[in-house]
Amino acid sequence: MNRREFIHLLLQGAAVAGTGAYAGSLAASTRAFYDLEAFGSARILHMTDSHAQLNPIYFREPNVNIGLGEALGRWPHVVGRNLLKELGNISARDAHAFTYLDFVQAAEKFGRVGGFAHLKTLVDQLRGEVSDGSSLLLDGGDTWQGSGTALWTRGRDMVEATNLLGVDIMTGHWEFTYHEDEILENIEAFNGEFLAHNTYATEDALFDGVPVYDEDTGHVFKPYTMRDLKGRRVAVVGQAFPYTPIANPKRFIPNWTFGIRDEELSRLVDTIRAEEKPDAVILLSHNGMDVDLKLASRVSGIDFILGGHTHDGMPRPIEVENSGGKTVVTNAGSNGKFLAVLDLEFGASGVSGYRYKLLPVFSDLIAPNPAMQAHIDAVRAPHREILEEELAVADSLLYRRGNFNGSFDQLIVDGMRQELDAQIALSPGFRWGTTVMPGEAITMDRLLDQTCMTYPETYVREMSGAELRTVLESVADNLFNADPYYQQGGDMVRTGGFNYRLDPLAAMGSRVSDMTLANGKRMQDNASYKVAGWATVGSQSTGEPVWEVVARYLRSQKTVRIDRLESPTLMNVDSNPGLADYRGGFA
Amino acid sequence: MQGTLTRRRFSQAILAFAALATVPLRVFARNDEAFKAVNTDEAMKALFGDKPMTVDDSFEFKVPDIAEDGSIVPVTVSTEMEGVKSISLLVDANPNPLSARFHFMPGAVPEFKTRIKMGESSDVRAVIETADALYVSTKNVKVTLGGCGG
């Protein structure tokens, strides 16, 4: 039995094992779902932002992902029915994968998504369909963070998982929230190549002799690599998240400096084109979708930008015209929910055609790979008692992703306010964090999905109304600045105990107004408020980790129902196609 | 140690020589006024009087879009223009916008890297002065509280 037959058997096994009402259709749909017609002569697989989700999970796509300026109405800033309209005739299964619509009902029908053991089976099938040596598996990063075991092993459990998965090349972002020496050790243990053209040692650090890939240029990591795919030379350039020392603590990586560096990239691509004579140039990017689209318009010579960071499950790529022709830009979602397949056809001078598919990874359709499952079980074994503790039961759907408070965020800020005896709570607008179905137990696993990282310490302090406004304005500008190069890719800070009015179209410093406490009282600039928060970027806070605080709250609650979201009253975006079923209201 | 020239003394000697050799006293006075100016218009006026200025984005003027640390923002300016006399850096939102001014001797390569301090997000201007013209390029640098990256 060869590898392909074995995988086919696994897939059939999955279909047969899926009993119940949908068993009949599963067997047929499995084939249809993952069998791709042959195309071209090289296959690039791309995954990104798995956030250490080793096991299958639920993940709800956002109903609020506002795009402004050039991004108005441009994918990914089109949600729900607006997106379905543009997608045309797609299956109910795909509609569920790409939108939040009827989430609970559809998730009950189609089941969980992702999981590394399932991903492994699918990756092996897709690589097995093309000849040996003509495929690559790229990982856009945010792989080493997002679970308890990733934190406790300092990302090593995920390094081993990506080794088993067969990742050839990766770049990073949350990888840089471990310490420099830990990152370098993990990369040493990684079987693939870790690339970043935009990570340099600072001049002071170079003078002090910190380890770098290239002493002359100061590159900390290898900027690009050349891979031979059956005689076709493919260049892959790494683009790490450009704002790591701003969005995350600089103290973990004091010797490294980042930036978008599109001018350097342009020169690098020109050099690669001239000296390496590649058949294709791919940028493995952690910029985020809107930044990648702008970059694609300014830098020529890149055939494909395979992007991540903003967690956008882009059903189809966007082609961007630039002075050198066109660049195809993609984004491959998050949490292990999607695997992208880029098939390439070559002509006399480089790429002559491509086919791109973003495959949702439906765990029920795929049998887990036994070796990967054994690894997952082994890394979890010492911690299972902690991870599987059922803290409370969800009485309503709990999710995070979206520009403003999701229901799991609301739970976190409610818990912090109660347990830390604070009038107000702030929680960061991260885009990671999984979804808990109504009736499901909220385990420590699920709580860690939302909170687990290397700077989880809480704080409680007095802040003036003016200071709170400054925080909101600053984060709002990171999200809604008209120029994507000034955005950092997170969502709006989550608020508990107060709400506000927001005009995303206004200028920096004048988007936020009408800050009002939960008791209806208008907040004053010079009044002082007791504020709880976590994930401070500047210096380390002294409080206990946020998951301890929220776990205590959950244990005291037994069941949790979130009916109210403290998300702002919005101005001037009521007809924005990146927004639907918005519960915060409009002004 | 009498009679030996220490490194510090050597540097002092060089600086004194450089100052005397290159900068007439009236420039000191003009610079002083420009560095004390509290807005960009005043600083420009003190530096260049009413000389007209041409917008020019063709020379290399590199700043980060978002500063990793507002207290040390790296700046690179480099140009192939002939006869550059000076290059000045101004940060509109700083209490004293003029951050630095570099004078170039005839034949010197007009390029430098430096770090400037920024209190808040602002436009940053690089002004190249030749014998008969002024060229300006403007970039926005964001100084942010940080946090909350996806």
Side-chain angles (χ1 to χ4, degrees), chain B residues 122-136:
Chain B
S122 172
D123 278 347
V124 180
R125 300 168 200 276
V127 184
I128 296 182
E129 181 188 23
T130 64
D132 45 16
L134 294 169
Y135 303 94
V136 64

Side-chain angles (χ1 to χ4, degrees), chain A residues 174 203 243 245-247 250 257-258 260 263-264 309 430 432 471 474 477-478 485-486 488-490 537, chain B residues 60-62 64-69 72 113 115 121 139-150:
Chain A
W174 279 85
E203 280 169 19
Y243 294 131
I246 300 159
K250 191 180 169 72
T257 178
F258 297 72
I260 297 173
E263 286 166 26
E264 285 102 318
H309 183 54
F430 296 130
W432 37 270
V471 170
S474 174
D477 195 62
N478 287 340
Y485 276 19
Y486 295 98
Q488 289 173 24
V537 169
Chain B
E60 186 183 7
F61 173 30
K62 250 171 54 180
D65 299 298
I66 307 180
E68 289 182 2
D69 181 347
I72 43 164
K113 272 188 192 182
R115 290 166 176 180
S121 300
K139 302 224 163 152
N140 189 263
V141 176
K142 184 163 156 177
V143 179
T144 170
L145 292 178
C148 304

Side-chain angles (χ1 to χ4, degrees), chain A residues 7 24 27 62 120 172 191 237 254 258 261 273 278 293 309 313 337 353 369 399 460 490 554 562 586:
Chain A
I7 292 157
K120 171 68 175 163
N191 290 345
V237 182
F258 297 72
R261 297 179 185 265
R273 287 273 176 201
L293 288 169
H309 183 54
K337 181 173 173 180
N369 172 280
Y399 62 90
V460 180
L554 286 171
I562 304 290
F586 300 97

Side-chain angles (χ1 to χ4, degrees), chain A residues 483-530:
Chain A
D483 183 342
Y485 276 19
Y486 295 98
Q487 299 169 1
Q488 289 173 24
D491 281 314
M492 192 62 192
V493 59
R494 280 41 179 153
T495 58
F498 79 106
N499 214 329
Y500 56 100
R501 180 184 286 217
L502 181 77
D503 182 357
L505 284 160
M508 162 83 185
S510 49
R511 292 189 178 96
V512 175
S513 60
D514 271 4
M515 291 166 62
T516 307
L517 291 171
N519 63 14
K521 268 199 184 153
R522 197 66 171 270
M523 291 171 73
Q524 303 298 326
D525 271 3
N526 54 5
S528 184
Y529 304 92
K530 190 176 174 189

Side-chain angles (χ1 to χ4, degrees), chain A residues 109-126:
Chain A
K109 180 170 172 183
F110 297 117
R112 291 182 168 80
V113 293
F116 268 60
H118 304 76
L119 205 52
K120 171 68 175 163
T121 301
L122 187 57
V123 164
D124 285 356
Q125 178 196 328
L126 292 165

Side-chain angles (χ1 to χ4, degrees), chain B residues 77-84 87 104 107-112 128:
Chain B
V77 181
S78 170
T79 175
E80 284 165 10
M81 252 179 245
E82 299 283 327
V84 172
I87 301 178
F104 297 92
V109 179
E111 70 173 45
F112 63 84
I128 296 182

